[in-house]
Amino acid sequence: MTISSAAQAAPLSPFKKLTMDGRWLASLIMILGVGSASMNNFLSSAIMPDIIRDLGGQQRAFWVLSLFQIGSILAGTVTGSLKARIGARPLFIAAALSFLAGSFVGGAANSLEHLLLGRMLQGLGEGMIVSLCYTLISDLYPENAVSSVFALLSGVWAVSAGIGPLTAGILTESWSWRAVFYANLPLSLMLLVLAITVIPSTTRDKSTSTQSSDKMSMFPRLGLLAVAVLLIAYVGELRSLPHITGALVVGLLLLLLAVKWDKQSATPFIPRSAFKFTGILGLGMWVTLLLSIASAARVVYGAAMGQVLWGLSVTQASYAMAITAFTWTAAAWIVARVQTPHAQTSLIRLGTLNIIAGTLLTVVSLYTMSLWIFLLSSVFNGAGFGMSSQFLKKAIIYAETDDERDRASGFIGPLQAAGMAIGAALAGLLAGLSGFSVPGAQDLITLENASQSGPILFLIMAGIAGIAALLAFKMPRMV
């Protein structure tokens, strides 16, 4: 019996779909590509105090994280469009080399300026690698395996959340913070080898005649996007509510202008149907963006809540937050076998409702000062994302034709990152206005005002998640 006939005779397990017909190498690329991004996300935050003690420049510590984020969003945004023109293989090689160079420069840095250069190169490489992984899913896997791929990637994030803080501590204590950067070197070389041997070099966009003036517009478009993201990210460094409000409003306006300008271009970076309030792609991107915004408050304040409100240690608070990632993975693997479009659409809608419930439970945990309710809210949030995220991304990827598919799938990563940046800035503004977090205070949140002002912040985030749910119910059913 052939593999194909066996597949028709009995449903394949998610693991089998990821490894049969030689696809284990493709799955390895996904694990290493997304895994490197997730691990660096946790490791970089953990080693920041050691970097500042060694290199100095505490007033510029913001840039160590933000330059990586800005580079990642910019590189991820252009990935889909570039892949359609020149193919995935040369892009992946360039991204792996950028990540390799950034890791070496960062590890060898003897000044904060050199470290910032390394972080920017890392961000450009990582952003492109993650977006390429998303664009390659439809090239390397059959459609019935896509849910299993995203379940695998959620597992990668969960493992990173579990071992990230511990790994950072071991590497830093046994050598120094530089070991975190140098550990990426063999990983970069593995990605480089896999890019050369596994990734296809085919392109989708066969057109060669594009006005040079439109090609030149890509640089000011990217510049405008970079300024917008920078302003939004810089909100986290501001200590005055008027300054926070001004930076957030101007950043959002510039972001809207950048998106509008891009969609009018003959060579756009994002799909033309993005952010419309009709169709699977437009509504799917709105749902993805709004859920990222709504979840940012937990990411920013969750660990601090565990430490300040319930006296958890740094490690305990980190693992309390990691419950969301663990539950996300468990739910994703449970529903990965679901193949009918009707059921997948229902899971997207049910997932958004779970996220609303989890956010409302966070409100209750602050009213009652209950750690157990807070942990339960993490379970609901993780389960909500686990049952909906993979099918939402699948819907975005397959909503467009081949000409637009690379742009749609490549934009998923930057869209989520932008949503987190907007959500973090909005959460900072709301926390300052409500008194949940006092700008310039030593602690991120205030114990005295937590039960009175904290619920207001998360009620607003629940409302944003509610808008996402309404749009999810408006989405046409997948076919």
Side-chain angles (χ1 to χ4, degrees), residues 273-439:
S273 299
F275 303 116
K276 290 185 177 180
F277 288 98
T278 57
I280 291 178
L281 179 65
L283 290 170
M285 285 195 168
W286 272 117
V287 173
T288 301
L289 178 66
L290 291 172
L291 289 181
S292 297
I293 292 173
S295 63
R298 284 182 62 88
V299 175
V300 174
Y301 296 109
M305 287 165 59
Q307 296 174 57
V308 175
L309 305 185
W310 297 296
L312 301 180
S313 67
V314 174
T315 302
Q316 289 172 334
S318 298
Y319 283 111
M321 290 298 296
I323 290 175
T324 299
F326 299 146
T327 312
W328 183 330
T329 300
W333 277 105
I334 290 172
V335 303
R337 290 177 178 269
V338 176
Q339 293 296 328
T340 60
H342 177 84
Q344 292 178 355
T345 304
S346 298
L347 284 168
I348 292 174
R349 297 168 177 174
L350 181 60
T352 59
L353 296 178
N354 269 266
I355 294 167
I356 296 172
T359 310
L360 291 176
L361 282 172
T362 305
V363 174
V364 176
S365 71
L366 288 169
Y367 268 125
T368 61
M369 287 295 176
S370 170
L371 173 60
W372 292 107
I373 295 179
F374 177 74
L375 298 178
L376 182 62
S377 72
S378 299
V379 172
F380 269 82
N381 273 279
F385 279 106
M387 68 178 63
S388 64
S389 178
Q390 56 192 307
F391 300 125
L392 185 58
K393 292 172 183 174
K394 180 181 176 182
I396 291 173
I397 290 175
Y398 287 97
E400 291 294 309
T401 60
D402 286 347
D403 293 337
E404 286 277 81
R405 183 171 294 170
D406 285 328
R407 293 188 182 99
S409 52
F411 193 58
I412 292 175
L415 180 66
Q416 291 176 312
M420 290 298 298
I422 295 171
L426 179 61
L429 175 61
L430 294 173
L433 291 174
S434 65
F436 184 61
S437 177
V438 179

Side-chain angles (χ1 to χ4, degrees), residues 104-458:
F104 179 78
V105 171
N110 54 16
S111 68
L112 193 62
E113 288 76 15
H114 290 159
L115 180 71
L116 294 179
L117 174 61
R119 288 294 288 166
M120 187 68 180
L121 289 172
Q122 275 191 319
L124 291 171
E126 282 284 19
M128 188 165 287
I129 287 172
V130 172
S131 287
L132 279 170
C133 286
Y134 285 138
T135 65
L136 285 167
I137 289 174
S138 60
D139 294 339
L140 300 176
Y141 297 91
E143 188 173 348
N144 65 358
V146 171
S147 300
S148 300
V149 177
F150 284 117
L152 172 70
L153 298 184
S154 69
V156 171
W157 276 97
V159 171
S160 299
I163 69 175
L166 180 63
T167 303
I170 293 175
L171 290 175
T172 302
E173 291 174 8
S174 61
W175 185 9
S176 77
W177 57 267
R178 299 178 188 275
V180 172
F181 286 90
Y182 288 139
N184 289 314
L185 299 183
L187 176 61
S188 304
L189 292 173
M190 289 180 64
L191 287 171
L192 191 59
V193 172
L194 288 171
I196 296 172
T197 57
V198 179
I199 294 178
S201 58
T202 56
T203 61
R204 298 192 196 276
D205 189 355
K206 305 301 181 183
S207 63
T208 57
S209 58
T210 303
Q211 294 182 359
S212 59
S213 60
D214 192 78
K215 286 184 178 179
M216 291 302 297
S217 75
M218 67 177 289
F219 298 105
R221 275 184 282 151
L222 285 175
L224 183 61
L225 178 62
V227 172
V229 174
L230 175 61
L231 280 173
I232 294 171
Y234 196 60
V235 168
E237 287 295 292
L238 299 176
R239 295 295 178 264
S240 165
L241 287 179
H243 291 163
I244 291 174
T245 305
L248 178 58
V249 171
V250 174
L252 289 175
L253 289 175
L254 292 179
L255 189 60
L256 291 173
L257 180 60
V259 171
K260 183 177 180 180
W261 186 5
D262 181 73
K263 292 175 73 172
Q264 293 174 346
S265 169
T267 55
F269 299 130
I270 63 177
R272 299 189 188 281
S273 299
F275 303 116
K276 290 185 177 180
F277 288 98
T278 57
I280 291 178
L281 179 65
L283 290 170
M285 285 195 168
W286 272 117
V287 173
T288 301
L289 178 66
L290 291 172
L291 289 181
S292 297
I293 292 173
S295 63
R298 284 182 62 88
V299 175
V300 174
Y301 296 109
M305 287 165 59
Q307 296 174 57
V308 175
L309 305 185
W310 297 296
L312 301 180
S313 67
V314 174
T315 302
Q316 289 172 334
S318 298
Y319 283 111
M321 290 298 296
I323 290 175
T324 299
F326 299 146
T327 312
W328 183 330
T329 300
W333 277 105
I334 290 172
V335 303
R337 290 177 178 269
V338 176
Q339 293 296 328
T340 60
H342 177 84
Q344 292 178 355
T345 304
S346 298
L347 284 168
I348 292 174
R349 297 168 177 174
L350 181 60
T352 59
L353 296 178
N354 269 266
I355 294 167
I356 296 172
T359 310
L360 291 176
L361 282 172
T362 305
V363 174
V364 176
S365 71
L366 288 169
Y367 268 125
T368 61
M369 287 295 176
S370 170
L371 173 60
W372 292 107
I373 295 179
F374 177 74
L375 298 178
L376 182 62
S377 72
S378 299
V379 172
F380 269 82
N381 273 279
F385 279 106
M387 68 178 63
S388 64
S389 178
Q390 56 192 307
F391 300 125
L392 185 58
K393 292 172 183 174
K394 180 181 176 182
I396 291 173
I397 290 175
Y398 287 97
E400 291 294 309
T401 60
D402 286 347
D403 293 337
E404 286 277 81
R405 183 171 294 170
D406 285 328
R407 293 188 182 99
S409 52
F411 193 58
I412 292 175
L415 180 66
Q416 291 176 312
M420 290 298 298
I422 295 171
L426 179 61
L429 175 61
L430 294 173
L433 291 174
S434 65
F436 184 61
S437 177
V438 179
Q442 183 177 1
D443 293 322
L444 185 60
I445 64 173
T446 58
L447 177 61
E448 296 78 8
N449 298 330
S451 61
Q452 287 77 31
S453 55
I456 298 174
L457 168 63
F458 285 95

